[in-house]
Amino acid sequence: MIASAELLQVFGKKIEAPIVKSTSECKRKLKMSRYIGVDAEDIIDPTPPGGDIDLLGHFIAVDQRPTQTSPQKKPAVVLALRGTYTISGVKSDAECYSAPFCNGRAHKGIAKRTDKLWEYIKEKIVSLLKANPGYDLVITGHSLGAGAAGLLALKLKSEGLLAKADPTLADVDIRCFAFAPPPVYLCENDKKSVMDDAMKSTYAFIHENDCVPFCSTDSIRRIARVVDDVDAATNVIEGPLMAIGKKDITPEIKDKVFDESELPFAPDAEKLAIPAPYAIWMRHVNV
């Protein structure tokens, strides 16, 4: 049974079923509450399970407990962003060439969704922060959501958007916790000090051999170059034999695989980076 009225359509028109919708959202909030330890009534407007082609899946929560996200252990308004889960998320990921964003260049698809997300949630965020003076704003996400979280934290801090929305929010601490973030940002050289300051409270985490934090237009172009070079250096007999370990890989091919020379210029294909001062790489180590 589909429990969400948001997924029910007839000839392209949604059927409004407020009772079903309310019941579905209530159940989802109770499930989320059990996982995150926040009261269900403090979870605000989670996006419907079906998602939206241009709006990232997310929820807002008011965590009234002393948190571990700041030295002062202050409570926080939390914005959590979902990773790739639907076709709309894949669409965001696939728009991987860069576009102007916040004193630099950013992953076009994720930057577009970040801008739209802020327009959608800013009134709620401002209202909650005003209703809870002294609270931090914590932005977190995984994968696609982590990339958007990093960009949104940059945008809010570098452009002073909370203070512009309401001067009483000028001193709100904004912190970002990005789990498996893709490389999504490159700042202009003359803006580096400004943007470095905006990244200070962004913390990136990589787990084991997760490939997402290394995936960008630049890395895809490099893989394509390696495939072409290796293909040109082998033949239909040697290649398969090397692949199954029946023939030694030549030094020439090893050099091509590990070639780190710069790629030919391609428009909007800059080498982007995770928008954080450093990344914490969590790996299992045998001691």
Side-chain angles (χ1 to χ4, degrees):
M1 177 181 177
I2 297 176
S4 174
E6 295 289 323
L7 301 179
L8 190 60
Q9 299 189 41
V10 175
F11 294 109
K13 296 182 179 179
K14 288 185 178 179
I15 297 177
E16 294 297 331
I19 295 176
V20 176
K21 179 179 179 181
S22 176
T23 302
S24 170
E25 184 171 302
C26 181
K27 287 182 177 179
R28 289 169 57 229
K29 284 185 177 182
L30 287 172
K31 288 181 180 178
M32 294 162 69
S33 174
R34 288 199 295 269
Y35 277 105
I36 65 177
V38 172
D39 290 342
E41 56 266 29
D42 288 330
I43 298 172
I44 317 297
D45 292 341
T47 48
D52 181 294
I53 196 66
D54 289 317
L55 184 65
L56 290 174
H58 68 275
F59 70 86
I60 303 168
V62 180
D63 192 346
Q64 302 185 38
R65 303 166 298 178
T67 67
Q68 302 298 318
T69 59
S70 70
Q72 296 79 21
K73 297 185 177 181
K74 293 188 290 183
V77 172
V78 181
L79 169 64
L81 308 182
R82 187 166 200 164
T84 303
Y85 181 68
T86 62
I87 295 299
S88 61
V90 175
K91 177 175 180 283
S92 300
D93 295 329
E95 291 184 79
C96 56
Y97 284 96
S98 70
F101 182 88
C102 202
N103 294 323
R105 309 281 299 181
H107 183 296
K108 183 177 180 180
I110 299 178
K112 282 168 59 178
R113 274 69 183 179
T114 300
D115 284 337
K116 179 165 183 178
L117 175 69
W118 178 242
E119 289 303 311
Y120 183 80
I121 64 169
K122 64 180 179 182
E123 290 185 5
K124 296 176 190 173
I125 294 290
V126 168
S127 176
L128 288 170
L129 288 171
K130 287 176 65 178
N132 296 280
Y135 279 39
D136 286 347
L137 173 60
V138 172
I139 307 172
T140 187
H142 169 254
S143 191
L144 164 63
L151 291 181
L152 182 57
L154 273 186
K155 183 182 178 75
L156 295 182
K157 295 176 77 172
S158 65
E159 297 179 12
L161 294 184
L162 290 181
K164 288 178 181 178
D166 190 297
T168 64
L169 303 181
D171 294 327
V172 171
D173 287 332
I174 302 171
R175 298 178 182 275
C176 175
F177 296 84
F179 297 89
V184 293
Y185 182 72
L186 176 69
C187 71
E188 298 169 359
N189 286 333
D190 61 339
K191 302 292 185 180
K192 192 172 185 306
S193 61
V194 174
M195 300 315 294
D196 282 352
D197 189 61
M199 294 180 199
K200 278 182 179 177
S201 297
T202 294
Y203 308 93
F205 300 85
I206 303 171
H207 181 256
E208 289 287 355
N209 296 320
D210 188 350
C211 66
V212 170
F214 303 91
C215 287
S216 65
T217 302
D218 179 78
S219 62
I220 293 170
R221 291 181 67 214
R222 287 179 183 278
I223 291 172
R225 180 177 69 177
V226 169
V227 170
D228 287 343
D229 288 349
V230 170
D231 186 56
T234 59
N235 56 48
V236 293
I237 297 174
E238 287 182 330
L241 289 175
M242 290 180 187
I244 63 174
K246 296 297 184 181
K247 181 178 174 59
D248 290 339
I249 298 172
T250 65
E252 176 193 8
I253 291 177
K254 290 180 181 179
D255 288 342
K256 293 181 182 299
V257 171
F258 293 104
D259 180 12
E260 296 184 2
S261 62
E262 290 300 316
L263 295 166
F265 172 78
D268 303 332
E270 298 88 354
K271 188 185 294 185
L272 303 179
I274 295 169
Y278 55 85
I280 301 168
W281 197 344
M282 300 178 290
R283 307 190 72 174
H284 178 75
V285 178
N286 292 320
V287 179

